[in-house]
Amino acid sequence: MRTVAWSDRASWLPLAAATILLAGCSAGSVGGSVETLAKLDGWRDGPGYEGPFAVLEIAYDDDTAAMLWEDNVGAGQAAHDGLAEVDLSRQIVALYSSGESGSCPESVHDIELDDGTVDIMLTVDTGGGDACSGDYNPYRVVIAIDRADVPTRDELAGTEGTVDGNPALEVVVGEYPVT
């Protein structure tokens, strides 16, 4: 088992210690093959995306995962005590960017790889109501995913992405940072 404790890095927060409480939203394990490390407002600063429903940016190695963390969460965020490490021998770190209703927050529940398609399953919290508001609130989440559920670097070029099995909800899948 190859476990990296990011606290060993001088300028980075413990990446894996990243069960973060942001904006009143408790992040943490939500089941399936995904563990939420941090949820933040807005898409990542960078290229403008036109057309896709979401973007999944995968950090395959330690240095890229640390860069992803620093770029998106930064050193000023306090880590929750519950999660201290990401096991990089069996997990990768990724950034998922999309949008949600202001009254019905989403979380990434699971990710599966099947015949060159990454399918992202979302859980929507309706708060017990029957409908969600029609507003659009961009967000991004830093997640740890089981390596078996994402394509390898060699497979990445031909990989497509969907949300909840719906091909109309296109997800751009690439190596962090997607440009």
Side-chain angles (χ1 to χ4, degrees), residues 155-171:
E155 298 169 327
L156 193 57
T159 300
E160 297 177 357
T162 61
V163 173
D164 292 328
N166 184 344
L169 300 178
E170 175 194 2
V171 178

Side-chain angles (χ1 to χ4, degrees), residues 31-81:
S33 65
V34 174
E35 193 168 338
T36 300
L37 305 177
K39 185 171 184 179
L40 305 123
D41 292 334
W43 285 53
R44 175 178 68 83
D45 289 339
Y49 296 107
E50 295 197 22
F53 180 81
V55 177
L56 179 67
E57 300 176 87
I58 303 169
Y60 287 99
D61 59 66
D62 301 0
D63 290 336
T64 306
M67 181 176 68
L68 182 154
W69 179 261
E70 186 68 26
D71 290 350
N72 290 281
V73 180
Q77 301 298 326
H80 188 294
D81 293 333

Side-chain angles (χ1 to χ4, degrees), residues 3-176:
T3 302
V4 174
W6 293 88
S7 57
D8 296 337
R9 302 203 181 245
S11 65
W12 296 311
L13 259 187
L15 171 62
T19 300
I20 299 294
L21 300 176
L22 293 172
C25 174
S26 174
S29 181
V30 293
S33 65
V34 174
E35 193 168 338
T36 300
L37 305 177
K39 185 171 184 179
L40 305 123
D41 292 334
W43 285 53
R44 175 178 68 83
D45 289 339
Y49 296 107
E50 295 197 22
F53 180 81
V55 177
L56 179 67
E57 300 176 87
I58 303 169
Y60 287 99
D61 59 66
D62 301 0
D63 290 336
T64 306
M67 181 176 68
L68 182 154
W69 179 261
E70 186 68 26
D71 290 350
N72 290 281
V73 180
Q77 301 298 326
H80 188 294
D81 293 333
L83 178 65
E85 300 173 335
V86 171
D87 180 357
L88 292 171
S89 68
R90 66 172 193 81
Q91 296 173 303
I92 59 95
V93 176
L95 181 69
Y96 176 77
S97 300
S98 191
E100 64 190 355
S101 163
S103 65
C104 299
E106 297 176 351
S107 59
V108 179
H109 172 70
D110 201 2
I111 292 180
E112 294 178 356
L113 177 63
D114 186 27
D115 285 336
T117 299
V118 173
D119 190 26
I120 299 167
M121 275 89 38
L122 300 177
T123 300
V124 178
D125 180 3
T126 61
D130 293 332
C132 299
S133 59
D135 58 331
Y136 177 84
N137 298 284
Y139 72 94
R140 64 194 184 280
V141 289
V142 179
I143 53 181
I145 308 168
D146 290 347
R147 284 187 179 269
D149 294 329
V150 296
T152 66
R153 275 186 168 136
D154 293 338
E155 298 169 327
L156 193 57
T159 300
E160 297 177 357
T162 61
V163 173
D164 292 328
N166 184 344
L169 300 178
E170 175 194 2
V171 178
V172 172
V173 180
E175 188 167 354
Y176 186 86

